[in-house]
Amino acid sequence: MSTITEIVDVEVPVSTAYNQWTQFEEFPRFMEGVERIEQVDATRTHWVTKFGGVTREFDATITEQHPDERVAWTSDSGPDHAGVITFHRLDDSHTRVTAQMDIDPEGFAENVADKLGVLDRRVKGDMKRFKEFIEQRGRETGGWRGDVDRPGT
């Protein structure tokens, strides 16, 4: 299992960055290899990705979500991965967004990509494109402000 951490500072208020991140169906606009995401319900999503010519579908569950603070998830099927995105207010118009993901690559192409650092570069690129996407818009495409408590709390 590999851990990938990437940090980007965005020039929008924390609520704008957080609200945009809750719009999972918009991820294909800035995430390389994400073909489609369907929000099944408040805590479940269905993903379709393409990497190295291989299309994969999997489900993921949001395990914790708190407005303007964090969104955490884990995969339910398909590639084994989990992660958390945290949002830190720097000032009224700047936010630090940190992505930390644990990924256990599935298949030959993903394992080679992991060993060559391709997955790290992809996450770095995704975060850079998120920054460009939200800063160019200046406002979120929507937002979900509900709370999801960590299991067992």
Side-chain angles (χ1 to χ4, degrees):
M1 176 136 338
S2 295
T3 298
I4 299 170
T5 302
E6 187 58 41
I7 299 168
V8 67
D9 291 345
V10 296
E11 197 172 331
V12 296
V14 68
S15 62
T16 301
Y18 171 84
N19 285 346
Q20 186 59 57
W21 201 273
T22 67
Q23 301 307 289
F24 305 109
E25 290 159 346
E26 298 287 334
F27 282 14
R29 295 176 73 178
F30 58 85
M31 284 190 172
E32 184 181 354
V34 176
E35 301 284 313
R36 184 176 79 250
I37 300 175
E38 297 169 27
Q39 182 89 37
V40 177
D41 61 28
T43 61
R44 293 182 308 132
T45 55
H46 180 77
W47 294 60
V48 178
T49 62
K50 192 170 191 175
F51 185 83
V54 176
T55 299
R56 299 222 190 273
E57 292 194 39
F58 61 91
D59 296 319
T61 297
I62 297 165
T63 57
E64 185 178 11
Q65 186 167 342
H66 303 294
D68 301 340
E69 292 178 17
R70 68 191 299 115
V71 178
W73 74 93
T74 189
S75 61
D76 300 326
S77 62
D80 187 19
H81 64 88
V84 62
I85 306 295
T86 56
F87 303 86
H88 302 277
R89 179 188 177 278
L90 299 176
D91 61 34
D92 288 346
S93 60
H94 294 87
T95 303
R96 177 160 293 150
V97 182
T98 303
Q100 183 175 352
M101 293 178 261
D102 294 325
I103 301 171
D104 190 5
E106 180 179 279
F108 178 76
E110 290 92 340
N111 274 290
V112 169
D114 182 40
K115 295 200 182 355
L116 294 175
V118 173
L119 297 179
D120 280 334
R121 288 191 297 280
R122 180 171 277 190
V123 172
K124 184 180 190 85
D126 290 346
M127 294 296 282
K128 180 181 176 196
R129 285 185 294 279
F130 174 74
K131 173 184 174 62
E132 293 165 357
F133 177 79
I134 193 62
E135 287 180 354
Q136 286 173 1
R137 286 189 53 80
R139 60 185 168 77
E140 61 271 37
T141 60
W144 189 76
R145 307 290 297 172
D147 262 306
V148 175
D149 287 327
R150 187 174 57 225
T153 60

